[in-house]
Amino acid sequence: MMANLGGINLLALFLAILATWTLADDCGREFRGKCDCGMRMYNYRPQYVVNCTDTGFRDTLVLEHLPAQTEVVIFNGNKVEELPWNVFGALNNLVNLTIVDMSNNHIREIRGKSYHHVPNVRRLILNHNNLSISRYDDEEYNHHHPRVFSNFINLQELHLTNAFADNTSAELSADLHDIFVNSNLTKLVKLHLEQNEISRFNDRAVFCDLPSLLDLHLGDNLLTELNFNLSCMPRLRFLDLERNRFEAVRPADLALLDDVQKQPGRITPLTVDFTYNPFVCDCSIFPLYEWLDRTNVTVRNPEGLVCFRNRQVREPILKLNVGKCRKFKTADGSGSTADSHTTTLIFVLICLSCVLAVLVAGLLYVSKDKLKALLTPVVDSVSKKVHYTTIKDEEAPEQYV
């Protein structure tokens, strides 16, 4: 009898827990029944989630009334162009909040005091927005707030995939660096900057104030070279460069990757991903081909790296016949068609100069009679003038005797 009662109690408890996970809690009247609140499986464990996805909200007022036990906020697919001060309320004490996802909300501006009371947030997701963080984007208003993430003192992951406006200023790297410096993101280990049309980093120190950074995701951009400092990130373990615009990789960039791998005290090997770049099948690929064979850097899916011949034919880089490129190898052990092109150009210029000199000499020889006829009167005239001037100078003192 007691065993039966115990079994009934356990079943009732299980059903009660299941009900809390499957039925939407009442978030409060401020949410107008548009959001789902309660214990949900998130990141492979039960957490208290407030989910306001595609609710049509045009402001963030509901977020000022989050339940105190909230651990995850999902506020996606709405239209909120500007985040005001204290998005989560001036008095809220959300000590359990660890994940904030505000993707796809058309956010253009995040003010310096937008995020307060977020001391324990570990992951911030702002993907697919229209952020303008440059002081140069709008002549009438400054959207640059360098302390925008300053309250995320324990932030470990920052997701900014396709987060910036399409007309983002070319000074994006300088603006990002300013934000990283002023936000004190010393615990950040993952940074996602994919799909932001980044072609270069004008500020080489853009990531140097992220000392704990492990994973840097720069895929789906427009990069053609590594023009940012890697040596200032001693813990970097993964560099994502897939789907960029690399047609080749400069020997200096390959050496930079090797130097990062060789840093003293490094335990975790550096991994780099070059897949889906439009590499060209000519001798400019030789440095990468040779480097793949000798480097201690871990290259993700090296067998899948391909180059294009005539922009159409795909060939695996590791199976290329690069014998003809070895003769262009430079003194430092790297091969490059740029040097061979320069040598060829100099040779052609010398040849053309010689041909031009021969043609000019031939023309002068053929036209010597005409030139003599033209120059003789001029020479005679100059000679006479010099002769008369000399006589005049010699006679001049006699006038004063």
Side-chain angles (χ1 to χ4, degrees), residues 248-252 254 282-291 294 322 324-340:
V249 185
R250 300 181 306 171
L254 297 172
D282 61 16
C283 286
S284 65
I285 204 66
F286 181 75
L288 177 61
Y289 171 88
E290 187 185 49
W291 180 79
R294 63 175 172 78
V322 296
K324 65 179 181 179
C325 297
R326 294 185 185 278
K327 63 182 179 180
F328 298 120
K329 201 172 181 183
T330 59
D332 65 352
S334 63
S336 174
T337 55
D339 296 333
S340 62

Side-chain angles (χ1 to χ4, degrees), residues 381-394:
S381 176
V382 172
S383 299
K384 290 179 181 180
K385 185 175 181 181
V386 171
H387 178 69
Y388 293 149
T389 302
T390 303
I391 293 174
K392 185 178 180 180
D393 291 340
E394 291 176 353

